[in-house]
Amino acid sequence: MSDEKKLLSIVIPVFREEAHIRESLKVIASYAAKCGIDYELVAVDDGSPDNTWKILQELASEIKELRCIGFVRNFGKEAAIRAGLETARGDGVIVIDSDLQHPPELMPEMVRFWREEGYSVVNAKKAERGRESIINKLGAAVFYSFFNKLTGGHFKGSTDYKLLDREVVECYLSLKEHLMFFRGLIGWFGFKSKDIPFTVAKRTRGSSSWSVKSLFRLAIHAITSFSTLPLQLVTFTGILFSLAALGLGIQTIYNYITGKAESGFTTVILLILIIGSVLMISLGIIGKYISKIYDEIKGRPMYIVAQKGDYREDAGDGA
Ligand code: UDP
Ligand code: MG
């Protein structure tokens, strides 16, 4: 067992979880205590409009290992994870959801793989998706098969529930991009990693804040972050249409020469419609990439911290 692996940080993004955060954090803390290593909990309140921040503050005075940060507004889970990783001081960091859908009982095993077997990344992967709606299941299946094709990665069942060694955290923090996709990036790095399967538990309480719309947005974000294939698709469609144009062109000229050129309005209308939509979609794809360049170049911060919770500087150090 390496002597450098002394402190474990557990990063927990929290958004609108007032209904259960008190119990959930205690459960997470109880399993953290079973990992056989000093630990700190870093809870990041992602601008919750409810009482989450207040409860976190109260908890910080009860659980001495807990440190909290709060955003001024909701910046999204990616930003919360980023802030947590920036704040974490551990030699290893676990990122885990606050709603207990990521079973905390896996943590001791994750730590074992990291400390004793030298894995830099331990991924908890969904063996079987828990009780989710058909739309979510179907969406995830379509998304991951498409995403894997585009990026050459293996993201099926991939989640944000991961243990990262300090070297991986540093690597992640050194990236200059603002529009991040945590679970994709960690796989993309290619550090020595171990997968542990788990079954997704039912949400403790409250409801998932992901709507179909936001999942769709995440899918587009993930794909455009890792691949420029959609741009090449535009060119490909262009070539396909040129070939069709050539065929139709020849036919039109032939009809003209042979004096059969008066009919064909249906074809003209259809062509205008098809070409119009292909052009619009192509412009949309190009526009998406341009808007990403625009967002990146502005270099705005990923999040703005409103409050740093009270925590003891000695949290996690010592016994
Ligand atoms: N979360 C967050 N910011 C958001 C949405 C969610 O920090 O804008 C947190 C949330 O509190 C939870 C985790 O991210 O700890 C996963 O969220 P959720 O359970 O809503 O998503 P799902 O389990 O459906 O992926
Ligand atoms: Mg959840």
Side-chain angles (χ1 to χ4, degrees):
M1 193 184 297
S2 165
D3 279 345
E4 290 120 50
K5 297 172 179 174
K6 286 194 190 118
L7 178 68
L8 175 72
S9 299
I10 297 165
V11 167
I12 311 153
V14 191
F15 179 59
R16 281 205 340 226
E17 309 278 13
E18 66 176 358
H20 62 83
I21 190 66
R22 179 173 286 281
E23 294 78 30
S24 305
L25 268 186
K26 287 193 171 155
V27 173
I28 293 174
S30 74
Y31 281 100
K34 290 184 186 149
C35 292
I37 180 170
D38 288 339
Y39 66 94
E40 61 168 9
L41 303 170
V42 179
V44 184
D45 173 29
D46 188 4
S48 307
D50 59 6
N51 277 323
T52 303
W53 176 251
K54 209 169 137 252
I55 300 172
L56 283 178
Q57 285 293 89
E58 288 166 17
L59 279 171
S61 57
E62 291 167 34
I63 306 173
K64 75 169 174 28
E65 293 85 4
L66 178 63
R67 307 164 66 197
C68 315
I69 335 172
F71 289 173
V72 284
R73 65 164 168 88
N74 182 240
F75 281 91
K77 189 181 176 189
E78 287 290 322
I81 292 177
R82 170 96 193 186
L85 290 177
E86 281 175 4
T87 312
R89 296 174 298 192
D91 306 304
V93 182
I94 290 182
V95 176
I96 185 169
D97 277 7
S98 56
D99 56 5
L100 298 184
Q101 277 191 305
H102 292 162
E105 54 269 30
L106 288 186
M107 293 199 295
E109 205 191 342
M110 294 169 93
V111 170
R112 199 180 61 75
F113 278 118
W114 166 58
R115 281 184 104 193
E116 289 171 25
E117 301 197 16
Y119 286 99
S120 298
V121 177
V122 185
N123 297 305
K125 281 204 164 187
K126 289 182 192 174
E128 179 193 317
R129 297 181 74 92
R131 262 177 257 161
E132 280 179 311
S133 70
I134 298 277
I135 293 185
N136 275 1
K137 273 191 192 170
L138 205 75
V142 171
F143 169 60
Y144 282 114
S145 67
F146 194 49
F147 191 62
N148 286 344
K149 280 223 172 64
L150 286 181
T151 58
H154 301 283
F155 294 101
K156 192 170 182 294
S158 169
T159 66
D160 291 331
Y161 188 14
K162 296 180 189 304
L163 186 153
L164 313 176
D165 185 76
R166 175 52 48 190
E167 66 173 339
V168 185
V169 176
E170 289 304 325
C171 199
Y172 175 85
L173 294 180
S174 71
L175 296 179
K176 292 196 176 64
E177 46 192 291
H178 288 80
L179 310 163
M180 296 226 161
F181 182 51
F182 177 70
R183 78 185 77 151
L185 274 175
I186 301 299
W188 179 83
F189 287 153
F191 285 99
K192 188 180 170 200
S193 66
K194 174 82 191 166
D195 293 345
I196 305 182
F198 76 94
T199 312
V200 184
K202 221 172 149 270
R203 217 175 192 289
T204 323
R205 248 177 284 165
S207 60
S208 169
S209 33
W210 292 100
S211 59
V212 174
K213 196 171 128 209
S214 61
L215 281 174
F216 184 71
R217 237 189 274 133
L218 178 74
I220 301 280
H221 169 51
I223 288 165
T224 48
S225 295
F226 280 87
S227 171
T228 49
L229 197 75
L231 282 177
Q232 289 151 37
L233 228 61
V234 174
T235 319
F236 179 74
T237 321
I239 293 172
L240 216 68
F241 269 74
S242 315
L243 291 178
L246 194 71
L248 268 175
I250 291 171
Q251 193 214 24
T252 312
I253 293 169
Y254 175 78
N255 282 348
Y256 179 74
I257 292 171
T258 53
K260 290 187 274 176
E262 74 281 0
S263 71
F265 264 121
T266 324
T267 325
V268 172
I269 291 168
L270 281 179
L271 276 179
I272 289 174
L273 288 177
I274 294 170
I275 292 173
S277 15
V278 170
L279 276 179
M280 286 302 183
I281 294 170
S282 306
L283 279 177
I285 294 175
I286 298 168
K288 180 70 203 167
Y289 281 92
I290 293 178
S291 76
K292 285 200 110 170
I293 298 171
Y294 175 61
D295 282 339
E296 287 287 356
I297 216 143
K298 280 186 293 193
R300 288 193 186 153
M302 271 182 85
Y303 59 86
I304 298 165
V305 172
Q307 290 131 327
K308 283 212 184 235
D310 293 329
Y311 57 85
R312 305 171 197 187
E313 273 305 326
D314 62 348
D317 303 341

